[in-house]
Amino acid sequence: MRPFRVDVPQHQLDDLDRRLLTTRWPDDLPGTGWSRGVPAAYLRELAEYWRTKFDWRAAERRLNSHPQFVTTIDGAPVHFLHVTSPEPDATPLLLTHGWPGSVTEFLDVIGPLSDPRAHGGDPADAFHLVIPSLPGYGFSGPLTTAGWDTARIARAWAELMRLLGHDRYLAQGGDAGAVIALELGRCDPEHVIGAHVNMLMTFPSGDEKELAGLESGDLARLGKLSRFDQELSGYMKLQQTRPQTLAYALTDSPVGQLAWIVERFHDWTGAVDRPEDAVDRDALLTIVSTYWFTATAGSAANFYYEGAAGVRAAAAGEVPPPVRVPVGVAVFPDDIFVPVRRLADRDLPTIVHWSEFDSGGHFAALERPQELVGDIRVFARGLSAGRATPPA
């Protein structure tokens, strides 16, 4: 393992400035808002802010204030933050991001999770944090081999925790990170204490009796799945099938990369008019900049290609092998996927903790950091107190 610091060469920042300044802009139809994609007027303004006001060096300094390392696992580069709590009895906690996220989305929760005493909390709630960049994403890229699906990443994370000396640990994540956290509960139950997720997809089995027993609120949640399939899943289908073709556009055009990510933050959060309604603009641009400077749009998209068969199987009602550790679920209502408890219990009988929040969406660590931290703490307390034992 080698210490790592983010230090983007100045010529790359100058190149970004030049590309943003000379962008070839398309027209858009007046009055269509976000219905056909990111509005041109909004994106022009955001791109100009990125070029003239966003401070990447400040983002670097904030990220570099935490210990970072790179290593190689199963032939792939793995970048990660390893934040040791000042509390010696702290519980190891593995945090995993998804797409289009990065390790930077956890910056607001690192302090409260690792050092609750310094943030007005109970030192008994402290965690040693391991926050890796997914293989092929950001500073863990690019990849040189195929096959990095959820199961392989989970095995790599288990190996990373072993190398760091964390024999027993909690796994947490949203988006792909949630799927990986649950997979760790399948492949490494001897070491995973529990899995906490802030995204969970629940698909109906097709049994009409199952749907007939659902309340209107649950049916509305399933309706979100239908809207996603019909309107909002174009990005996923493209990345599942032709990630390399997409990579040329996103790696060559910073405005293209910006639009590709910004649209997700608009559609998957509690945003009303623009993503900044839900997520800080500089935090959003830090994520976009990470993809841009590392040129990992294509290698990150390959994750969808590797997982396409699993997504189709889940949508068809196939249930994966059981998760053999206690599971906690935090439900944020503005997420693109909002789980139905009855269907979740059907698929994950080891759920021992379930929280419903009044606001927040897909990027909980950015949108509702305090609520996410609190929920992780409550879940962990239940495990340590023996109150969260999964059914036999």
Side-chain angles (χ1 to χ4, degrees), residues 42-98:
Y42 166 76
L43 199 64
R44 280 177 177 269
E45 188 269 327
L46 183 59
E48 183 64 10
Y49 179 92
W50 190 13
R51 189 181 75 83
T52 61
K53 296 181 180 179
F54 173 70
D55 188 348
W56 169 254
R57 294 304 185 197
E60 278 188 341
R61 288 192 295 271
R62 191 178 181 203
L63 188 55
N64 287 334
S65 69
H66 302 291
Q68 299 170 77
F69 302 87
V70 291
T71 190
T72 301
I73 299 177
D74 194 11
V78 174
H79 159 264
F80 62 97
L81 283 68
H82 191 203
V83 182
T84 302
S85 172
E87 308 297 337
D89 296 328
T91 301
L93 172 63
L94 174 66
L95 296 171
T96 307
H97 67 87

Side-chain angles (χ1 to χ4, degrees), residues 56 59 62-63 101-108 139 283 286-287 290 366:
W56 169 254
R62 191 178 181 203
L63 188 55
S102 81
V103 294
T104 64
E105 68 187 78
F106 294 114
L107 290 175
D108 287 340
F139 307 109
T286 298
I287 291 174
T290 299
L366 289 172

Side-chain angles (χ1 to χ4, degrees), residues 36-383:
R36 300 179 185 229
V38 184
Y42 166 76
L43 199 64
R44 280 177 177 269
E45 188 269 327
L46 183 59
E48 183 64 10
Y49 179 92
W50 190 13
R51 189 181 75 83
T52 61
K53 296 181 180 179
F54 173 70
D55 188 348
W56 169 254
R57 294 304 185 197
E60 278 188 341
R61 288 192 295 271
R62 191 178 181 203
L63 188 55
N64 287 334
S65 69
H66 302 291
Q68 299 170 77
F69 302 87
V70 291
T71 190
T72 301
I73 299 177
D74 194 11
V78 174
H79 159 264
F80 62 97
L81 283 68
H82 191 203
V83 182
T84 302
S85 172
E87 308 297 337
D89 296 328
T91 301
L93 172 63
L94 174 66
L95 296 171
T96 307
H97 67 87
W99 185 88
S102 81
V103 294
T104 64
E105 68 187 78
F106 294 114
L107 290 175
D108 287 340
V109 302
I110 288 176
L113 286 172
S114 64
D115 192 5
R117 188 194 300 268
H119 292 79
D122 186 343
D125 290 328
F127 297 97
H128 300 305
L129 302 178
V130 179
I131 311 174
S133 296
L134 287 171
Y137 286 65
F139 307 109
S140 285
L143 292 174
T144 58
T145 60
W148 279 95
D149 59 6
T150 298
R152 188 174 177 183
I153 295 172
R155 293 193 298 270
W157 278 193
E159 175 65 7
L160 175 62
M161 297 303 277
R162 186 192 69 80
L163 291 171
L164 293 172
H166 296 314
D167 185 62
R168 297 283 288 164
Y169 62 94
L170 287 171
Q172 199 285 331
D175 194 81
V179 182
I180 292 164
L182 295 176
E183 187 62 31
L184 278 162
R186 297 185 181 98
C187 74
D188 196 27
E190 296 82 7
H191 302 102
V192 176
I193 303 169
H196 181 280
V197 299
N198 56 275
M199 186 202 80
L200 187 66
M201 291 182 286
T202 51
F203 296 97
S205 65
D207 185 344
E208 293 184 1
K209 293 181 180 179
E210 184 178 67
L211 294 177
L214 296 178
E215 298 179 354
S216 58
D218 289 335
L219 292 174
R221 293 183 175 194
L222 293 180
K224 279 198 164 191
L225 285 175
S226 177
R227 181 181 178 229
F228 176 80
D229 181 61
Q230 295 176 19
E231 180 186 349
L232 303 179
S233 62
Y235 80 94
M236 182 179 73
K237 292 173 180 175
L238 183 55
Q239 295 189 157
Q240 282 178 341
T241 57
R242 296 295 186 271
Q244 184 61 36
T245 303
L246 175 67
Y248 299 115
L250 301 188
T251 306
D252 187 61
S253 168
V255 166
Q257 178 69 92
L258 179 65
W260 194 246
I261 291 179
V262 160
E263 189 176 64
R264 309 287 86 73
F265 278 82
H266 175 268
D267 291 343
W268 298 357
T269 65
V272 178
D273 296 318
R274 49 178 55 199
E276 295 93 322
D277 296 336
V279 175
D280 176 78
R281 172 174 279 198
D282 285 353
L284 173 57
L285 288 173
T286 298
I287 291 174
V288 177
S289 299
T290 299
Y291 281 87
W292 174 256
F293 289 131
T294 59
T296 51
S299 58
N302 273 302
F303 175 82
Y304 283 81
Y305 187 92
E306 305 292 358
V311 172
R312 288 192 295 268
E318 293 185 26
V319 178
V323 176
R324 293 180 284 169
V325 301
V327 173
V329 181
V331 180
F332 292 90
D334 298 318
D335 200 345
I336 189 61
F337 304 114
V338 184
V340 175
R341 178 65 191 267
R342 181 187 297 183
L343 303 184
D345 286 333
R346 176 202 66 195
D347 297 338
L348 290 170
T350 60
I351 292 175
V352 297
H353 171 87
W354 185 280
S355 297
E356 299 258 353
F357 293 93
D358 295 333
S359 61
H362 194 72
F363 304 93
L366 289 172
E367 297 176 72
R368 294 292 181 268
Q370 292 183 342
E371 288 89 337
L372 181 63
V373 167
D375 204 64
I376 294 170
R377 289 173 175 172
V378 171
F379 176 60
R381 287 180 205 143
L383 297 178

